[in-house]
Structure formats: structure tokens, C-alpha cells
Amino acid sequence: MKKHKALEHREYFLHRSSCNFVVVSNTVSPEEITLELGISPTRTLKKGEKGVGKRANSAIISPHNIWEIWSGDIINEEFEAASHIEYLKEKLKNSLAAISRYRENSEVELIVSVWIESELSGTGFSLTTEEMTFINAVSDRFDCYLFAREEIIVE
């Protein structure tokens, strides 16, 4: 039987994961969001602005104003969401009142996303009640993206 490509170099599979919190709006600018939340974003795009998709590395033209904080990639043998969620909790803890006002604004959408790339074709993750409560408190939507990769290159 042919060995999985990743196992030609090591004896375990890897996962690359990250988490982000995104504010999307057609009417509220990234600058206004930064002022309201009091947090420096990882990335912003204004509606109509050209950018590069983070995962696909493809050119995009943003259909909305986008304000984002990103936990950064973690590469390890076991995927766990806790460190990513903890990062978002720490970043957002002083902005919960502003986030609550945005949740009431129909012109704003708040999204928490988890991104997982894995050398295993079947992977998943678990969230605790506390993590789900936090995600529900700060977002209108939770997205999860799972990608099977033949090999994750550690740079």
C-alpha cells in the first residue's frame, strides 16, 4: 500500500487552523468600526476595493466593507478550537457593548469563522458550551471551513 504523502516525511498528520471575527456592512466603514470597537483590525477592505483572498490567494473585489481580526495560523498534530476562541475573547472583551449594538443593526453582519486544513480527509472539532455561548454573544453567524490537503507544508 502506498504511504500517504505527508507520512513520507513524518509519522503523524498535521492540521493548520485559524479563527476570525468579521464585521460586514454596506453602510458602516472599516474606520468607523475600528473607532467603535477600539481594536486595530488584522485586515480591512472597503466596498469595491481590490484585495487578495486569504486562503485561496486569489484576487477579489470586495462586495462589502469588511473589518476583520484573525487569530493567525496554528499548525499542530491535534486540532483544537480553544486557543483560537480564547484569542477572540481576549481581543473583543472590551468591545462587547459596541458588538451588541452592531447585532441590533440590520445593516451589519457579525461572523465568527473557524478554518481547518487537515492532511486527514475526515476531521472535525468540538466546542464547549462556554465557547458556543461566546460565539453566540458576538456573532450573527458561525462558519466552519474544512479543507483536506495532501500535505501541509511547515514553513
Side-chain angles (χ1 to χ4, degrees):
M1 178 186 273
K2 185 178 177 188
K3 212 175 195 182
H4 189 285
K5 184 173 183 175
L7 298 181
E8 292 174 2
H9 312 296
R10 52 187 137 71
E11 296 182 9
Y12 51 85
F13 292 107
L14 289 177
H15 305 276
R16 176 185 329 225
S17 59
S18 64
C19 190
N20 64 0
F21 172 77
V22 182
V23 181
V24 178
S25 178
N26 286 323
T27 58
V28 183
S29 74
E31 295 83 8
E32 292 172 285
I33 296 165
T34 298
L35 286 174
E36 181 77 17
L37 296 182
I39 301 169
S40 295
T42 306
R43 173 175 88 141
T44 63
L45 284 172
K46 291 183 179 179
K47 184 176 182 176
E49 186 176 4
K50 292 179 182 177
V52 176
K54 192 169 47 191
R55 293 288 175 189
N57 202 27
S58 58
I60 61 168
I61 297 177
S62 183
H64 316 284
N65 293 320
I66 296 173
W67 183 99
E68 174 187 26
I69 56 174
W70 177 54
S71 66
D73 283 337
I74 294 176
I75 299 174
N76 57 16
E77 294 175 46
E78 297 289 326
F79 170 74
E80 51 81 28
S83 59
H84 295 296
I85 302 300
E86 192 56 41
Y87 174 85
L88 292 182
K89 284 172 76 171
E90 183 62 28
K91 290 292 277 187
L92 299 174
K93 70 181 179 185
N94 296 322
S95 304
L96 296 177
I99 289 169
S100 182
R101 287 190 296 276
Y102 279 138
R103 288 200 67 195
E104 295 171 8
N105 182 343
S106 63
E107 299 291 320
V108 175
E109 184 174 25
L110 306 171
I111 306 164
V112 171
S113 301
V114 171
W115 300 75
I116 305 168
E117 297 176 51
S118 177
E119 294 171 341
L120 293 168
S121 59
T123 193
F125 67 99
S126 299
L127 296 173
T128 66
T129 301
E130 182 182 336
E131 291 163 346
M132 290 186 294
T133 300
F134 166 74
I135 291 167
N136 187 54
V138 299
S139 65
D140 304 310
R141 190 172 93 203
F142 176 73
D143 293 340
C144 179
Y145 300 92
L146 302 171
F147 301 91
R149 301 283 190 221
E150 186 173 13
E151 184 174 24
I152 293 176
I153 306 299
V154 181
E155 298 171 5

